[in-house]
Amino acid sequence: MDAIALDKLMSRVEKPARYLGNEWNMTKKESYDFRFALCFPDVYEIGMSHQGSRILYHVLNSMDGVYCERCYAPWTDMERALTEAGEPLFTLETKSPLKDFDIVGFSLLYEMCYTNVLTMLKLSGIPFLASERDGSYPLIVAGGPCTVNPEPIAPFFDAILVGDGEDMEPEIVNCMRRARADGVSRTELLERLSAIEGVYVPSFYEPVFENGRYVRMERKNPLAPERVRRRVVRDLDKAPYVGRQLVPHMQIVHDRVAVEVMRGCTRGCRFCQAGYIYRPVRERKKETLLSQTRDLVRCTGYDEVSLLSLSTGDYSELHELLPRIIDDMAEQKVSVSLPSLRIDSLLKEDLEKMQTVRKGGLTFAPEAGTQRMRDVINKNVTEEDLLRAVTDAFTAGWCGVKLYFMIGLPTETDEDILGIADLARKVSACFYRLPKEQRGMGFRVTVSVSTFVPKPWTAFQWVGQNEQEEIRRKQQLLKTAMKGVRGGELHCHPSVLSVLEAVFSRGDRRLAPVLVDAFERGCRFDSWAEHFKPDAWAEAFAANGLTMDEYAYRERDPEEPLPWEIVDALTTVSYLKREWNRAKEARTTKDCREGCNGCFGERCEDYCRISKE
Amino acid sequence: MRIIAAFQKNKEISYTSHLDVQRTLQRAFRRANLPLAYSKGFNPHPKLSFATALATGYTSDGEWFEVELDRPIEPQTFIDRVNPVLPDGMRVVEAFEADDGIDTLSKLIRAAHYELTVHFDAPVSEQQVQNAVRSIMGNEPVIVDKKTKSGVKPADIRPDILEASVKEVSDSSAILDVVGTLTAAGGLRAETFVRALFDRLHLNGFFTAHRISLCFEGSDRLPRLR
């Protein structure tokens, strides 16, 4: 794109730094023979915060002759400017159109970004459907957690990568290079790709529907695997990390050094898709983490480090690692933050230590208001745990706490809803019980309530979501109950969006035309309240003879075939059924660090170290 | 020790905001491992301040800032350590140690010198642009809608324009040389000047701005008004 055209576009958008590139640590390459466009279907400040993309950017650019560039979803002002100027969407590194790349790869982190994928393809002049693209177009691929149910977006992609990407992505690049050298057809390329563990080629399969329901998947190419097994990086300690982390010019959502201490979680919360699809738990050694942290702080100049994982408090060497990292960083005035700490793992000394550097916000996620409900979801946290943790925090000087809950959980009653307010009241009492001179000022207990969305590959994958009216009734009930909680504040997420999320997370291939239809009716950035168009979505479903209710609210029979079973997520369906039955009886399942629960069935030994211990 | 220095901001990063630039410099100083002096308090931050902000999208040959260090360091060493860790498009071009008693830069600044490249949405002749600039530089008030904190208000920008001339006109674009007042209290904004130009030519379009220099009073080491 020429300089004046770019200036003209930039002059028309609110935040031009989103499209600028040239950040510190950006990879520049002069000679390369393979171009990879790493695309994120949301705005720059969100996409740039995604750790997975950071890893892939580093891994791909470490390959000889491969140049990986980035592209994010343009905000609506840039989309308009590009459309009016007739210019294609461009990458940040070399300002090239996506059509010029060999592979265009999208990271799919949440279902509500699907329409943005279409925006990005449209602005690149790339047809939406794989069946409408010949070999002259780039290979369009997707990866990320959403691909454990690839079906709703399957027709858009030539290949979909399920599981950890750091080994898989270089393999697909090399596979494509070899295929090109061998001069093979597009179909043969896809056949070769489908032989890579974790790669799903949707055009080789056709879902069959009878009486409006999914019944089975028909394999159209005998070379394609029967099921696509989720890919797993076995040794995280030796796996590549982010190398030289990019330092953006503008402020991004997670604007700090992020060090991934482990992948996976052993807790087994039954609602949590991440807890199931990142198994088994894999840790990095503390020495590795210390040296990675030092390197990253040195090469970025950031003054904040975050120790990243699904449950950092469970990291087995945390109490040796934390004091060393904090001391190391305090010298350089770098603060250390720990997202996703669990209540029971939070120690008073750690809190006091963290406070010496900087006092961050304090967030706990009891997820449910009563012990019975927490047993159903297997969130093995007790009221005593929570009250002890907040009392420690309040004594250490914190005077605000945020509590996360879900409503609409299976077997939930009004008593469970009222339990949320009750818990907030007890937390508040913990603060005011302290002598005045021992506690801070301006106390706040913020209760944040979201609507439960049943997800594939969890124990709750069969559950029907609460209908919107019921959710609103429960929200109202809670609102009333929260009155009179001293320092209490209630935030309820709107429930409309959760319905759409439920639809797409457990959807099938019939939803792809609905997505295209909704896109054409103007749906973009659906997770942004100001852009979400519920009416346009309703019209798109109606036009395709489908209803959201069927996908979101219907409880599935555990014997019913499910469209996402084309993927083998390693956790077996029979294990999920067992968990679902235990949930209905409010029986908990132990943390698998205390002993193997057998979630991978006969493959436990192959895939999980814990099963051998 | 207080270092006063100037950096260039080029095309590669022109679309960053003043806050972005501030963060970029702070992080670069940390990468350069400079002995930064930090403010006291819960959120210690390096003591870094600017003569003025540069609007998003503008480029510049000399944006002046000052930074406090805990230990003395040679100004040339400062430049040599910071430049390799600055992103493309940003470079420190000058640095000196502030004499005791020199006021903060934001109190000394008086004016700014710009080169404006204006792209009109229709072809123009050199004569048309010359006439428009002459009309702006006359004795009459130049009323332009000016964005302020309390909304858009018509304002006379004529007192803020010190010099303006046409350097080059070709097809539908023009290059202008403009000097405007600039103090902590305010001054000429290039976009209002261009607005006045569009009004006179009954045209629209967009522009890019390059700040050739800032002008100060009260120190021999800083650039002065011509």
Side-chain angles (χ1 to χ4, degrees):
Chain A
M1 185 178 305
D2 76 82
I4 294 178
L6 188 62
D7 275 330
K8 190 168 182 185
L9 290 172
M10 294 295 217
S11 72
R12 297 194 49 195
V13 300
E14 187 197 350
K15 292 180 177 172
R18 284 170 170 161
Y19 315 98
L20 183 61
N22 286 313
E23 304 94 328
W24 178 250
N25 287 337
M26 183 185 91
T27 301
K28 277 171 274 179
K29 287 197 180 182
E30 292 295 319
S31 67
Y32 41 86
D33 56 42
F34 198 94
R35 305 185 74 184
F36 196 113
L38 193 60
C39 298
F40 195 95
D42 209 322
V43 283
Y44 177 88
E45 46 276 47
I46 295 176
M48 276 287 285
S49 302
H50 175 227
Q51 187 74 356
S53 300
R54 288 175 182 156
I55 297 172
L56 295 179
Y57 185 72
H58 167 67
V59 166
L60 290 165
N61 277 320
S62 305
M63 295 175 76
D64 247 359
V66 177
Y67 192 11
C68 171
E69 306 185 31
R70 294 160 298 147
C71 186
Y72 301 92
W75 190 240
T76 46
D77 55 1
M78 183 53 111
E79 185 192 347
R80 207 175 311 119
L82 286 166
T83 307
E84 286 172 15
E87 293 282 354
L89 182 65
F90 53 89
T91 55
L92 300 195
E93 276 73 6
T94 63
K95 312 285 183 285
S96 306
L98 298 185
K99 245 184 178 168
D100 291 358
F101 286 77
D102 297 292
I103 296 182
V104 172
F106 288 89
S107 295
L108 304 178
L109 271 78
Y110 28 86
E111 294 80 7
M112 294 300 94
C113 70
Y114 288 169
T115 51
N116 292 351
V117 172
L118 301 182
T119 309
M120 294 173 79
L121 291 175
K122 178 98 180 183
L123 289 173
S124 304
I126 298 174
F128 292 154
L129 299 176
S131 58
E132 290 172 0
R133 298 188 298 256
D134 59 19
S136 69
Y137 287 101
L139 195 76
I140 312 293
V141 306
C146 284
T147 65
V148 294
N149 177 14
E151 285 307 289
I153 41 137
F156 307 132
F157 296 100
D158 300 296
I160 294 177
L161 283 56
V162 185
D164 295 333
E166 47 262 84
D167 295 336
M168 222 178 344
E169 301 263 359
E171 284 171 27
I172 65 162
V173 168
N174 285 332
C175 177
M176 197 170 167
R177 275 170 145 176
R178 222 169 301 126
R180 194 189 284 160
D182 298 348
V184 305
S185 67
R186 187 79 154 187
T187 306
E188 195 178 334
L189 165 67
L190 294 175
E191 282 169 354
R192 289 183 184 190
L193 286 169
S194 74
I196 297 173
E197 191 178 34
V199 177
Y200 174 51
V201 175
S203 57
F204 290 166
Y205 305 82
E206 195 177 308
V208 180
F209 298 89
E210 279 166 17
N211 303 320
R213 298 259 166 95
Y214 169 84
V215 287
R216 68 176 179 277
M217 193 63 96
E218 229 154 59
R219 197 153 46 117
K220 289 176 6 191
N221 188 317
L223 295 174
E226 227 167 297
R227 290 179 76 195
V228 178
R229 187 175 293 178
R230 175 170 64 89
R231 190 66 179 266
V232 168
V233 163
R234 308 266 176 146
D235 187 348
L236 191 69
D237 195 59
K238 292 203 174 64
Y241 72 122
V242 298
R244 294 173 65 87
Q245 186 177 325
L246 282 156
V247 185
H249 302 296
M250 70 185 293
Q251 200 157 17
I252 60 171
V253 179
H254 298 297
D255 209 0
R256 56 187 75 92
V257 161
V259 185
E260 188 188 19
V261 298
M262 62 178 184
R263 200 170 293 177
C265 174
T266 54
R267 296 282 176 161
C269 298
R270 292 180 178 128
F271 58 87
C272 177
Q273 192 187 41
Y276 284 102
I277 66 168
Y278 289 107
R279 292 174 184 215
V281 74
R282 291 146 289 165
E283 298 192 340
R284 284 202 163 95
K285 296 193 181 104
K286 66 170 187 297
E287 288 74 23
T288 312
L289 294 170
L290 269 169
S291 86
Q292 286 179 2
T293 308
R294 278 186 203 132
D295 289 348
L296 283 168
V297 165
R298 200 177 303 130
C299 80
T300 59
Y302 267 121
D303 61 1
E304 196 183 341
V305 172
S306 178
L307 303 181
L308 210 68
S309 79
L310 289 173
S311 177
T312 305
D314 290 335
Y315 175 65
S316 56
E317 297 181 288
L318 184 69
H319 299 297
E320 292 87 62
L321 174 70
L322 205 52
R324 284 183 66 187
I325 280 203
I326 288 176
D327 287 344
D328 212 27
M329 293 297 125
E331 275 172 40
Q332 306 170 54
K333 297 212 163 48
V334 174
S335 68
V336 180
S337 63
L338 288 92
S340 56
L341 263 193
R342 284 184 62 106
I343 295 155
D344 42 355
S345 61
L346 200 90
L347 287 187
K348 212 176 159 184
E349 304 88 79
D350 292 335
L351 275 177
E352 280 164 3
K353 196 104 211 206
M354 280 166 67
Q355 210 198 339
T356 59
V357 193
R358 191 178 294 173
K359 202 185 304 185
L362 201 59
T363 307
F364 296 112
E367 308 289 4
T370 59
Q371 195 57 49
R372 186 203 68 84
M373 193 72 254
R374 285 193 294 271
D375 289 345
V376 168
I377 63 176
N378 205 45
K379 182 89 190 182
N380 295 328
V381 156
T382 64
E383 190 174 299
E384 293 77 64
D385 290 334
L386 175 69
L387 299 183
R388 194 188 32 174
V390 294
T391 305
D392 285 351
F394 297 153
T395 315
W398 265 267
C399 42
V401 59
K402 202 169 175 184
L403 304 175
Y404 278 115
F405 294 95
M406 273 182 295
I407 57 171
L409 288 162
T411 77
E412 186 178 71
T413 64
D414 284 359
E415 197 187 318
D416 300 308
I417 303 293
L418 297 172
I420 296 174
D422 202 41
L423 206 53
R425 190 171 294 113
K426 285 174 182 161
V427 166
S428 174
C430 286
F431 180 83
Y432 287 106
R433 201 176 294 129
L434 292 173
K436 262 207 171 98
E437 55 282 5
Q438 272 180 38
R439 66 187 201 216
M441 307 259 283
F443 172 74
R444 270 268 164 276
V445 51
T446 310
V447 172
S448 183
V449 179
S450 59
T451 304
F452 167 66
V453 177
K455 294 275 181 174
W457 298 112
T458 68
F460 295 157
Q461 64 173 351
W462 296 279
V463 174
Q465 194 182 34
N466 270 190
E467 297 198 16
Q468 271 191 74
E469 221 160 289
E470 174 69 351
I471 291 294
R472 279 195 284 265
R473 187 191 65 82
K474 286 175 176 175
Q475 287 177 344
Q476 197 50 46
L477 186 69
L478 182 57
K479 209 183 240 173
T480 313
M482 278 291 289
K483 280 181 190 145
V485 175
R486 217 174 150 191
E489 205 175 294
L490 178 67
H491 294 296
C492 290
H493 297 269
S495 61
V496 219
L497 250 177
S498 318
V499 181
L500 201 59
E501 201 186 326
V503 169
F504 279 96
S505 61
R506 291 187 300 171
D508 53 48
R509 227 179 257 203
R510 293 175 299 177
L511 291 182
V514 179
L515 268 167
V516 174
D517 205 320
F519 168 82
E520 275 156 11
R521 289 170 201 269
C523 294
R524 306 281 189 283
F525 289 101
D526 299 289
S527 57
W528 300 69
E530 71 259 46
H531 286 298
F532 182 53
K533 296 189 173 74
D535 295 343
W537 276 107
E539 289 161 20
F541 274 91
N544 287 276
L546 296 167
T547 68
M548 290 196 240
D549 294 12
E550 162 78 8
Y551 287 99
Y553 302 149
R554 184 173 70 85
E555 174 155 349
R556 275 70 161 174
D557 186 304
E559 300 313 313
E560 184 179 326
L562 299 168
W564 51 92
E565 280 169 4
I566 184 61
V567 167
D568 168 6
L570 287 179
T571 306
T572 63
V573 176
S574 63
Y575 178 77
L576 296 177
K577 279 182 193 160
R578 197 160 83 216
E579 280 295 285
W580 174 217
N581 287 328
R582 289 173 78 97
K584 285 187 275 195
E585 295 160 17
R587 280 168 64 204
T588 59
T589 295
K590 66 180 184 298
D591 184 322
C592 67
R593 284 184 201 262
E594 292 162 24
C596 181
N597 292 314
C599 64
F600 288 173
E602 62 205 19
R603 290 173 312 205
C604 277
E605 286 234 359
D606 286 349
Y607 279 91
C608 181
R609 201 172 41 88
I610 281 175
S611 67
K612 292 175 218 158
E613 279 166 1
Chain B
M1 171 199 194
R2 185 155 62 114
I3 292 253
I4 293 182
F7 65 86
Q8 262 175 3
K9 192 182 176 193
N10 299 330
K11 202 75 223 168
E12 293 92 322
I13 61 153
S14 63
Y15 289 100
T16 53
S17 70
H18 180 60
L19 264 175
D20 298 340
V21 167
Q22 213 169 325
R23 266 194 299 270
T24 298
L25 273 183
Q26 285 179 9
R27 285 170 188 161
F29 294 159
R30 296 178 63 92
R31 294 192 287 265
N33 207 12
L34 290 174
L36 295 174
Y38 281 86
S39 65
K40 304 277 177 285
F42 246 137
N43 257 323
H45 53 267
K47 292 180 180 170
L48 168 70
S49 57
F50 293 77
T52 183
L54 184 69
T56 305
Y58 291 18
T59 52
S60 173
D61 278 339
E63 289 302 299
W64 289 86
F65 66 92
E66 49 198 318
V67 60
E68 284 270 339
L69 299 177
D70 269 341
R71 286 196 310 275
I73 182 170
E74 280 298 316
Q76 190 55 47
T77 313
F78 176 84
I79 295 178
D80 293 343
R81 274 167 67 178
V82 173
N83 277 345
V85 292
L86 278 175
D88 273 7
M90 204 165 164
R91 224 171 80 82
V92 176
V93 286
E94 229 181 306
F96 60 84
E97 183 178 353
D99 312 328
D100 286 340
I102 182 171
D103 227 330
T104 57
L105 296 172
S106 61
K107 283 187 184 155
L108 300 177
I109 189 164
R110 293 292 175 270
H113 182 185
Y114 298 95
E115 183 181 274
L116 307 178
T117 306
V118 187
H119 302 276
F120 301 98
D121 50 16
V124 284
S125 71
E126 171 149 13
Q127 200 51 48
Q128 283 175 291
V129 182
Q130 288 285 10
N131 288 347
V133 169
R134 208 167 298 128
S135 147
I136 290 172
M137 294 309 287
N139 295 325
E140 297 297 308
V142 178
I143 307 296
V144 176
D145 281 342
K146 204 171 168 180
K147 263 189 235 158
T148 64
K149 275 172 193 149
S150 52
V152 180
K153 273 187 216 157
D156 179 13
I157 59 163
R158 180 63 189 88
D160 295 330
I161 309 169
L162 301 176
E163 291 169 30
S165 59
V166 182
K167 267 184 163 168
E168 201 185 306
V169 176
S170 62
D171 193 27
S172 60
S173 59
I175 300 176
L176 305 162
D177 197 88
V178 176
V179 180
T181 62
L182 185 57
T183 67
L188 180 70
R189 294 171 59 100
E191 69 181 25
T192 57
F193 181 89
V194 174
R195 190 74 255 154
L197 191 68
F198 285 155
D199 288 350
R200 272 152 191 77
L201 290 164
H202 305 289
L203 284 173
N204 250 313
F206 70 102
F207 74 101
T208 57
H210 176 70
R211 194 134 77 187
I212 295 166
S213 76
L214 294 173
C215 310
F216 297 86
E217 224 170 53
S219 168
D220 297 338
R221 316 272 320 247
L222 294 164
R224 295 176 152 267
L225 211 50
R226 276 179 294 186

